Amino acid sequence: MVSSQPLEFGHDDRRRIYEYVERHGAVDPDDARSELRIDPSGFRHHVAILKRDGRLEAVDGTLRVVLDAGTEEEYVADDLEFHVRPARQEDLSGIVGAIRQVAEEKTYIEAESVADEIDHEEALLRHNELESRMFFVATVDQDVVGWVHLHAPELEKLSHTAELTVGVLEEYRGHGLGSHLLSRGLEWAGSRGYERVYQSVPSSNDDAVAFLEAHDWEIEAIREDHYKLNGHYVDEVMLAIEL
């Protein structure tokens, strides 16, 4: 079960290092040490402990927060080869671009707000005492062409729930990328102890509603006239799935 309890570090400087890395996504160790004003030997010691405890890892000379999310998977469908893997900080611009391209269709308002948030924060993955945020991506020739995003508040009364968005660029639809992304996202959510996952889309997005219902999601509620798209009021369809 995902814990809503405070993260334990055993030392204030250790907490400060973790929070700095978590907030920035990927950081140069020297920049972090200088910014936090921790002496070099103490900084190296605390980073070593954070690595030992599975909190941080070093990737290409930078420190990152560890979010255990499995490995990369390869698929071939209709002569299209694509990969599904956990997102990395370097995928941020590709994910924002993919979400914004899908959002231009005016059928995925929640996803558009996700793009705005991560673009503003400049940190892709988050895990702190307030929230967890995870992305998986589908890539073709190493370019991001689809995503699945999960966000969960670290609050005791909501710690069993998560919200999800998923999307694929139009030219790559019909090859199973969305199904694989959705499956990977829900698999991760289940492994983290979440019990219910939610998603909301405009009622005008018939394809999204049909896609989710075909994957055993159920409509739980409809908020009338919740969106205003191109001058017209559109209902919000709220769907959920139990894990």
Side-chain angles (χ1 to χ4, degrees):
M1 172 63 69
V2 175
S3 174
S4 58
Q5 299 300 315
L7 297 172
E8 297 293 339
F9 295 94
H11 195 286
D12 185 57
D13 282 346
R14 217 167 290 158
R15 171 183 289 278
R16 292 173 61 220
I17 294 169
Y18 176 86
E19 290 178 347
Y20 183 87
V21 175
E22 192 272 345
R23 189 168 60 251
H24 291 84
V27 303
D28 180 277
D30 291 335
D31 291 344
R33 185 195 62 77
S34 176
E35 188 72 21
L36 296 171
R37 298 182 180 180
I38 300 175
D39 68 271
S41 61
F43 183 84
R44 289 193 298 270
H45 169 73
H46 291 310
V47 168
I49 298 300
L50 289 166
K51 289 180 179 178
R52 182 203 67 187
D53 292 345
R55 299 285 194 187
L56 297 182
E57 62 181 347
V59 179
D60 298 330
T62 63
L63 293 175
R64 321 278 180 99
V65 169
V66 174
L67 290 175
D68 185 16
T71 59
E72 183 169 331
E73 298 172 344
E74 179 180 337
Y75 301 95
V76 177
D78 304 322
D79 295 327
L80 176 68
E81 180 180 315
F82 62 93
H83 296 76
V84 175
R85 59 168 173 78
R88 301 185 285 263
Q89 178 66 21
E90 291 81 5
D91 295 317
L92 191 149
S93 61
I95 291 173
V96 170
I99 294 177
R100 294 204 189 285
Q101 187 170 332
V102 170
E104 286 179 358
E105 302 169 19
K106 303 297 182 184
T107 57
Y108 211 164
I109 312 305
E110 296 299 320
E112 187 174 5
S113 67
V114 171
D116 291 341
E117 182 177 358
I118 63 174
D119 198 20
H120 173 73
E121 291 186 2
E122 297 184 348
L124 187 62
L125 309 178
R126 302 298 303 270
H127 179 55
N128 55 50
E129 294 178 359
L130 298 178
E131 65 175 338
S132 288
R133 183 169 68 208
M134 184 65 195
F135 279 89
F136 294 89
V137 293
T139 63
V140 174
D141 296 329
Q142 301 185 17
D143 293 325
V144 174
V145 299
W147 84 92
V148 63
H149 152 260
L150 293 109
H151 175 263
E154 294 294 325
L155 301 173
E156 183 177 357
K157 294 180 180 179
L158 294 174
S159 63
H160 63 295
T161 69
E163 297 179 0
L164 177 148
T165 69
V166 60
V168 176
L169 298 184
E170 184 176 9
E171 56 266 40
Y172 293 100
R173 296 172 190 168
H175 300 283
L177 281 75
S179 295
H180 285 296
L181 283 165
L182 184 63
S183 176
R184 188 69 182 267
L186 294 178
E187 178 184 354
W188 180 84
S191 72
R192 301 282 292 182
Y194 298 111
E195 300 171 15
R196 295 178 66 81
V197 179
Y198 296 90
Q199 184 170 181
S200 297
V201 297
S203 58
S204 55
N205 193 343
D206 297 328
D207 289 342
V209 174
F211 170 77
L212 292 170
E213 288 186 316
H215 288 80
D216 300 323
W217 290 63
E218 296 182 355
I219 296 176
E220 288 208 332
I222 294 178
R223 292 203 285 185
E224 296 183 356
D225 298 338
H226 184 64
Y227 301 115
K228 192 172 185 180
L229 306 177
N230 298 322
H232 300 284
Y233 291 103
V234 178
D235 296 343
E236 177 189 44
V237 181
M238 305 173 71
L239 302 101
I241 188 170
E242 291 191 11
L243 304 180

